[in-house]
Amino acid sequence: MDLNWLLDLLGPHNMALANTLVLYSFVIAAGVFLGKIKVGGVSLGVTFVLFMGILMGHFGYEVNPEVLKFIREFGLILFIFSIGIQVGPGFFSSFKKGGMTLNGLAMLGIGLNVIIVLVIYYLDGNTSMNALVGVMSGAVTNTPGLAAAQQTAGDPEAINTMSMGYAAAYPLGVCGIIGAMFVIKGLFSIKVDKEVKAIEAENDNARTKPNMLSIEVTNQLINGKSLFELHDIIQCDFVISRLMDSSGNIIIPTSKTQVRVGDKLFCIISQPDTHRFESFVGPRTEVNWEEVTPSQVVSRRIVITKSKYNGVTLGSLRLHAGYSLNATRVNRAGIDLLASPDLRLQLGDRITVVGDLNDIDRLANRLGNSMKRLNEPNMITIFVGIMFGIILGSINLGWGMKLGLAGGPLVVAILLSRFGYKFKLVTYTSSSASLLMRELGICLFLASVGIASGKDFASIVFSNTGMWWVIWGFIITFVPLVIVGCVARGFYKVNFLSIMGLMSGGYTDPPALAYAGSSTASDVPAVAYSTVYPLSMFLRVVAAQGLVLAFM
């Protein structure tokens, strides 16, 4: 049987379309598979696709340069755009008071990375800035920064140099982040158990999520006041889900409902306002609302799946006037929010409403309440965003600086995810669809980068030059983390679990976050990670581009 066709299909030095597709499929499949292997509880994840690409490139496998460039840039755009959509909603909120300290520390780390790169560049004299930018991107495990720098440089030789520097520094970059955690833990004699207990005690007094409690009205001064008047008097956000009068009757109150001494209220109120509300109205009481509430009054969650309600305020739904329902809270991405009238709704929000089941069904039909609709990707928004991202990235900002195919889509995606509803664009994407787009994009990009740079990788990295790249990379990784960790713990007294998340998020490194989560059995590192990740990701891309432009 003639197998020459198979050898021709699988062999190197053949750049036909079928060979290219087989090569990419093998590199991505093998890279993803090997990336799942854990060493010391840590895996390289999808980044192993880069090393598989380098290996195949080393053995002579090639791709038509124009095809490779298209696949690399298209993968980059998909990846960067999905990252922007993901981090966009939290990008602006990360600047609020609660995240200012952590974001400031993350910015300090990024600044130190850049300073160390500049010091090495001027002291060494033999290492090009292109190589150092690649090393820095690998040292801080930031692939988008590498992608942005390569797209800005444009020159194939510079792109390959950056790729090799990235690959040389990446493994110790992951290890360096985890090593810095151990150093901070040792320097400050930190006991993880005590840190966990401190976080739990702090959470017991948390002031972020809505608080549900029963209150008995005892204040004669508010006797006969309507709920609307109470809002003006107390001046805090609260929702009265149900009211039990002195006769034991249960009603769904409206803004015109009057409260009287002896009434019992089922309240949903923000934690900071709880004490003030109790002081004005009366003490807490124990009521089993499930038992005393009539069977026709139920509590249900309704999912917003109709795009026309994306961006509208909760108050504009006129739930009580139109449906005799009360909204008590809104769950967004797993987080409960107080159902205040001025809260702007987003596709995928889950509204908890109380009232008659028939009225709830009518509202559900109006809002959609169809999970099937949420599973449909919003292709118009994705490609409109990509189109405008490329246009923005092509604008000359002066001194030859452009946002490029990385920065443009990133900025547009962040803005769309936050303000898209103003233009009737639905930015909701199911987690599975978002993950698929992001992983497909990064796999195509890393495979392209690896295949292109594999030919000369071994001769450069496994040499005196490569040895220095590894050393420089470890310094870029380790020194800023230790400094930031000491400042966070010594000056700001940040909990060690948050420091672990800060280090992982500041370096946009999921493997380090996975280690932090598994070693503490807590989601606190993930919270800190998500707080600093949006700004860090944006600044990492800008820093890499800025260094390339400054030394072109």
Side-chain angles (χ1 to χ4, degrees), residues 49 137 228 280 346 392 454 478:
V49 172
S137 298
F228 181 81
F280 270 97
Q346 295 182 10
L392 178 63
F478 192 73

Short mmCIF file of all heavy atoms in Angstrom, two decimals, residues 49 137 228 280 346 392 454 478:
data_model
loop_
_atom_site.label_atom_id
_atom_site.label_comp_id
_atom_site.label_asym_id
_atom_site.label_seq_id
_atom_site.Cartn_x
_atom_site.Cartn_y
_atom_site.Cartn_z
N VAL A 49 1.62 25.20 24.38
CA VAL A 49 1.45 25.22 22.92
C VAL A 49 2.64 25.93 22.27
O VAL A 49 3.11 25.53 21.20
CB VAL A 49 0.12 25.91 22.55
CG1 VAL A 49 0.02 26.11 21.03
CG2 VAL A 49 -1.06 25.09 23.05
N SER A 137 8.12 39.88 29.13
CA SER A 137 6.78 39.31 28.96
C SER A 137 6.73 37.89 29.49
O SER A 137 5.75 37.47 30.12
CB SER A 137 6.38 39.34 27.48
OG SER A 137 6.32 40.66 27.00
N PHE A 228 -42.18 55.33 50.91
CA PHE A 228 -41.54 56.40 50.15
C PHE A 228 -40.99 57.47 51.10
O PHE A 228 -39.88 57.97 50.94
CB PHE A 228 -42.54 57.02 49.17
CG PHE A 228 -41.96 58.12 48.32
CD1 PHE A 228 -41.22 57.82 47.19
CD2 PHE A 228 -42.16 59.47 48.66
CE1 PHE A 228 -40.69 58.84 46.40
CE2 PHE A 228 -41.62 60.47 47.88
CZ PHE A 228 -40.89 60.16 46.76
N PHE A 280 -33.73 53.76 63.38
CA PHE A 280 -34.91 54.56 63.05
C PHE A 280 -36.21 53.77 63.19
O PHE A 280 -37.23 54.31 63.63
CB PHE A 280 -34.80 55.07 61.60
CG PHE A 280 -34.12 56.39 61.48
CD1 PHE A 280 -32.77 56.48 61.16
CD2 PHE A 280 -34.81 57.57 61.68
CE1 PHE A 280 -32.13 57.70 61.04
CE2 PHE A 280 -34.19 58.80 61.56
CZ PHE A 280 -32.85 58.87 61.25
N GLN A 346 -28.32 44.22 33.20
CA GLN A 346 -27.54 43.69 32.11
C GLN A 346 -28.09 42.33 31.70
O GLN A 346 -28.69 41.63 32.52
CB GLN A 346 -26.06 43.54 32.50
CG GLN A 346 -25.36 44.85 32.79
CD GLN A 346 -23.89 44.64 33.14
OE1 GLN A 346 -23.35 43.56 32.99
NE2 GLN A 346 -23.26 45.71 33.61
N LEU A 392 -9.31 51.68 15.45
CA LEU A 392 -8.67 52.46 16.51
C LEU A 392 -7.19 52.14 16.61
O LEU A 392 -6.35 53.03 16.78
CB LEU A 392 -9.36 52.17 17.85
CG LEU A 392 -8.77 52.87 19.09
CD1 LEU A 392 -8.89 54.39 18.95
CD2 LEU A 392 -9.47 52.39 20.36
N GLY A 454 11.00 28.49 16.04
CA GLY A 454 11.62 27.22 16.41
C GLY A 454 12.93 26.93 15.72
O GLY A 454 13.81 26.25 16.28
N PHE A 478 11.37 38.16 40.10
CA PHE A 478 11.46 37.97 41.55
C PHE A 478 11.61 39.27 42.34
O PHE A 478 10.91 39.48 43.34
CB PHE A 478 12.65 37.04 41.84
CG PHE A 478 12.70 36.53 43.25
CD1 PHE A 478 11.79 35.57 43.67
CD2 PHE A 478 13.66 36.99 44.13
CE1 PHE A 478 11.83 35.08 44.97
CE2 PHE A 478 13.70 36.52 45.43
CZ PHE A 478 12.79 35.56 45.85
#
